[in-house]
Amino acid sequence: MAFLKPIICLLIIATVSAFSTHKPAFTTSTTSLFAGKGEQEGGAAIAKPKVNIGQKTAMVTETKARVVLKKKAKPSGPESRREEKFEDAPMYKVMLLGDKEYDQEHVIKRLCETLEDMDENNAATVFTQAQQGGKAMCGKYPMEHAELYKEQMLRSDPMIFCDIEEENKKGNK
Protein backbone atom coordinates (compact mmCIF):
# COMPACT_ATOMS: atom_id res chain seq x y z
CA MET A 1 0.00 0.00 0.00
CA ALA A 2 2.80 2.39 0.78
CA PHE A 3 4.11 2.24 -2.79
CA LEU A 4 0.68 3.27 -4.17
CA LYS A 5 0.63 6.68 -2.42
CA PRO A 6 3.18 8.37 -4.72
CA ILE A 7 1.44 6.95 -7.80
CA ILE A 8 -1.98 8.21 -6.62
CA CYS A 9 -0.52 11.66 -5.87
CA LEU A 10 0.99 11.87 -9.34
CA LEU A 11 -2.33 10.86 -10.93
CA ILE A 12 -4.18 13.54 -8.94
CA ILE A 13 -1.65 16.20 -9.90
CA ALA A 14 -1.81 15.17 -13.56
CA THR A 15 -5.62 15.26 -13.52
CA VAL A 16 -5.78 18.67 -11.84
CA SER A 17 -3.18 20.15 -14.16
CA ALA A 18 -5.02 18.83 -17.22
CA PHE A 19 -8.22 20.67 -16.25
CA SER A 20 -6.73 23.93 -15.05
CA THR A 21 -4.52 26.59 -16.55
CA HIS A 22 -2.41 26.84 -13.39
CA LYS A 23 1.27 26.12 -13.46
CA PRO A 24 2.59 23.89 -10.64
CA ALA A 25 3.26 25.76 -7.45
CA PHE A 26 6.09 23.58 -6.18
CA THR A 27 8.65 20.99 -7.23
CA THR A 28 9.20 17.66 -5.49
CA SER A 29 12.36 17.09 -3.51
CA THR A 30 13.79 14.33 -1.37
CA THR A 31 15.21 14.56 2.12
CA SER A 32 17.62 12.10 3.60
CA LEU A 33 19.36 11.97 6.96
CA PHE A 34 23.14 11.69 7.17
CA ALA A 35 25.40 11.69 10.18
CA GLY A 36 28.53 12.68 8.39
CA LYS A 37 29.81 14.77 5.59
CA GLY A 38 29.69 12.17 2.86
CA GLU A 39 26.82 10.13 1.54
CA GLN A 40 28.49 6.79 2.28
CA GLU A 41 28.72 7.34 5.95
CA GLY A 42 25.98 6.03 8.17
CA GLY A 43 25.10 7.37 11.52
CA ALA A 44 22.58 8.00 14.15
CA ALA A 45 19.12 9.19 13.25
CA ILE A 46 19.50 12.33 15.37
CA ALA A 47 22.30 13.66 13.24
CA LYS A 48 22.01 16.82 11.17
CA PRO A 49 19.78 16.15 8.13
CA LYS A 50 20.81 17.03 4.64
CA VAL A 51 17.87 18.80 3.06
CA ASN A 52 17.35 19.59 -0.59
CA ILE A 53 14.41 21.93 -0.90
CA GLY A 54 13.29 22.85 -4.35
CA GLN A 55 12.46 26.46 -4.96
CA LYS A 56 8.75 27.17 -4.62
CA THR A 57 7.20 29.01 -7.48
CA ALA A 58 4.16 31.17 -7.25
CA MET A 59 0.94 29.93 -8.80
CA VAL A 60 0.22 31.79 -11.99
CA THR A 61 -3.33 32.15 -13.20
CA GLU A 62 -3.92 33.13 -16.74
CA THR A 63 -6.88 35.46 -17.08
CA LYS A 64 -8.23 37.28 -20.02
CA ALA A 65 -8.94 40.92 -19.39
CA ARG A 66 -12.11 42.25 -20.90
CA VAL A 67 -12.13 45.80 -22.04
CA VAL A 68 -15.50 47.44 -21.81
CA LEU A 69 -15.96 50.77 -23.49
CA LYS A 70 -18.52 52.96 -21.83
CA LYS A 71 -20.42 55.58 -23.69
CA LYS A 72 -19.93 59.02 -22.31
CA ALA A 73 -23.15 60.70 -21.36
CA LYS A 74 -23.72 63.97 -23.09
CA PRO A 75 -24.64 66.67 -20.62
CA SER A 76 -27.85 68.44 -21.32
CA GLY A 77 -30.02 70.86 -19.45
CA PRO A 78 -31.47 69.84 -16.13
CA GLU A 79 -34.58 67.74 -16.37
CA SER A 80 -37.30 68.35 -13.87
CA ARG A 81 -39.13 65.20 -12.95
CA ARG A 82 -42.15 67.06 -11.77
CA GLU A 83 -43.21 70.60 -11.74
CA GLU A 84 -43.42 71.89 -8.23
CA LYS A 85 -46.03 74.51 -7.68
CA PHE A 86 -45.75 76.35 -4.44
CA GLU A 87 -48.45 78.62 -3.25
CA ASP A 88 -47.67 81.51 -0.97
CA ALA A 89 -49.01 81.14 2.53
CA PRO A 90 -52.19 83.15 3.01
CA MET A 91 -51.48 86.41 4.78
CA TYR A 92 -53.53 87.77 7.65
CA LYS A 93 -53.89 91.36 8.83
CA VAL A 94 -53.34 92.15 12.49
CA MET A 95 -55.93 94.83 13.30
CA LEU A 96 -55.67 97.06 16.38
CA LEU A 97 -59.16 97.77 17.75
CA GLY A 98 -59.77 101.34 18.96
CA ASP A 99 -60.75 101.94 22.59
CA LYS A 100 -61.05 105.24 24.44
CA GLU A 101 -59.52 103.78 27.60
CA TYR A 102 -56.15 102.94 25.98
CA ASP A 103 -53.06 104.77 27.23
CA GLN A 104 -51.20 105.97 24.12
CA GLU A 105 -47.69 105.43 25.56
CA HIS A 106 -48.52 101.87 26.70
CA VAL A 107 -50.03 100.89 23.31
CA ILE A 108 -47.11 102.34 21.32
CA LYS A 109 -44.59 100.61 23.61
CA ARG A 110 -46.34 97.21 23.32
CA LEU A 111 -46.74 97.51 19.52
CA CYS A 112 -42.99 98.19 19.14
CA GLU A 113 -42.06 95.29 21.48
CA THR A 114 -44.44 92.77 19.93
CA LEU A 115 -44.24 93.51 16.19
CA GLU A 116 -40.71 93.28 14.79
CA ASP A 117 -41.23 95.66 11.88
CA MET A 118 -43.00 98.36 13.92
CA ASP A 119 -41.20 101.53 15.06
CA GLU A 120 -42.55 104.33 17.28
CA ASN A 121 -43.70 106.57 14.41
CA ASN A 122 -45.67 103.73 12.74
CA ALA A 123 -47.11 102.68 16.12
CA ALA A 124 -48.31 106.24 16.81
CA THR A 125 -49.95 106.40 13.35
CA VAL A 126 -51.69 103.02 13.87
CA PHE A 127 -52.91 104.10 17.32
CA THR A 128 -54.35 107.35 15.93
CA GLN A 129 -56.10 105.56 13.04
CA ALA A 130 -57.57 102.98 15.45
CA GLN A 131 -58.95 105.72 17.71
CA GLN A 132 -60.49 107.61 14.79
CA GLY A 133 -61.79 104.73 12.63
CA GLY A 134 -62.42 102.00 15.19
CA LYS A 135 -59.59 99.73 13.94
CA ALA A 136 -56.28 100.02 12.09
CA MET A 137 -53.97 97.54 10.38
CA CYS A 138 -50.67 96.87 12.18
CA GLY A 139 -49.23 94.60 9.48
CA LYS A 140 -49.68 91.48 7.30
CA TYR A 141 -48.30 88.17 8.55
CA PRO A 142 -48.76 84.41 8.07
CA MET A 143 -51.55 82.96 10.19
CA GLU A 144 -49.36 81.58 13.01
CA HIS A 145 -47.51 84.87 13.41
CA ALA A 146 -50.71 86.88 13.33
CA GLU A 147 -52.27 84.70 16.03
CA LEU A 148 -49.12 84.98 18.15
CA TYR A 149 -49.11 88.78 17.93
CA LYS A 150 -52.81 88.94 18.82
CA GLU A 151 -52.27 86.74 21.90
CA GLN A 152 -49.26 88.76 23.03
CA MET A 153 -51.25 91.99 22.82
CA LEU A 154 -54.13 90.45 24.79
CA ARG A 155 -51.72 89.30 27.54
CA SER A 156 -50.30 92.77 28.13
CA ASP A 157 -51.45 94.61 31.26
CA PRO A 158 -53.71 96.49 30.60
CA MET A 159 -55.05 94.42 27.69
CA ILE A 160 -54.83 95.69 24.14
CA PHE A 161 -57.52 94.25 21.85
CA CYS A 162 -56.52 93.08 18.40
CA ASP A 163 -58.19 91.02 15.72
CA ILE A 164 -56.94 89.13 12.67
CA GLU A 165 -58.52 89.24 9.21
CA GLU A 166 -57.67 87.31 6.08
CA GLU A 167 -55.99 89.58 3.57
CA ASN A 168 -58.41 88.86 0.67
CA LYS A 169 -61.58 89.02 2.74
CA LYS A 170 -63.02 91.95 4.59
CA GLY A 171 -64.84 89.85 7.21
CA ASN A 172 -63.31 89.17 10.61
CA LYS A 173 -61.83 85.84 11.42
Side-chain angles (χ1 to χ4, degrees):
M1 283 300 239
F3 66 92
L4 291 177
K5 283 185 181 179
I7 296 172
I8 293 172
C9 288
L10 288 175
L11 286 174
I12 292 173
I13 292 172
T15 306
V16 170
S17 64
F19 289 104
S20 68
T21 59
H22 300 294
K23 295 180 181 177
F26 60 90
T27 59
T28 57
S29 64
T30 59
T31 305
S32 55
L33 296 174
F34 293 98
K37 295 180 183 176
E39 291 185 20
Q40 289 81 15
E41 298 177 15
I46 59 172
K48 184 177 178 182
K50 180 180 178 187
V51 179
N52 288 332
I53 298 177
Q55 183 178 1
K56 291 185 178 180
T57 57
M59 188 173 288
V60 179
T61 305
E62 296 177 14
T63 59
K64 295 181 181 178
R66 279 195 265 165
V67 178
V68 178
L69 297 176
K70 294 183 179 179
K71 292 183 180 179
K72 292 185 179 180
K74 294 181 182 178
S76 62
E79 295 180 19
S80 61
R81 295 183 181 172
R82 60 180 171 186
E83 292 184 25
E84 296 180 7
K85 295 181 181 178
F86 293 104
E87 293 182 15
D88 292 333
M91 301 297 278
Y92 290 83
K93 299 177 189 177
V94 176
M95 304 297 287
L96 175 66
L97 301 177
D99 191 352
K100 299 287 183 194
E101 296 182 17
Y102 285 157
D103 179 32
Q104 182 174 2
E105 291 178 29
H106 172 68
V107 173
I108 291 173
K109 180 181 172 188
R110 290 299 295 161
L111 284 172
C112 292
E113 289 175 0
T114 306
L115 305 171
E116 296 129 10
D117 55 348
M118 183 74 65
D119 62 1
E120 288 185 11
N121 292 333
N122 289 344
T125 305
V126 169
F127 177 78
T128 306
Q129 289 174 353
Q131 293 299 340
Q132 292 174 354
K135 64 181 177 179
M137 183 179 76
C138 299
K140 296 177 185 177
Y141 305 99
M143 183 177 176
E144 292 82 13
H145 290 236
E147 288 176 345
L148 172 72
Y149 297 149
K150 176 184 172 183
E151 291 296 320
Q152 287 178 344
M153 298 300 277
L154 283 173
R155 291 181 183 176
S156 64
D157 187 34
M159 283 196 285
I160 300 171
F161 295 101
C162 288
D163 198 10
I164 57 174
E165 297 177 358
E166 195 169 348
E167 183 180 17
N168 296 335
K169 296 183 180 179
K170 292 187 178 183
N172 292 348
K173 185 168 185 168

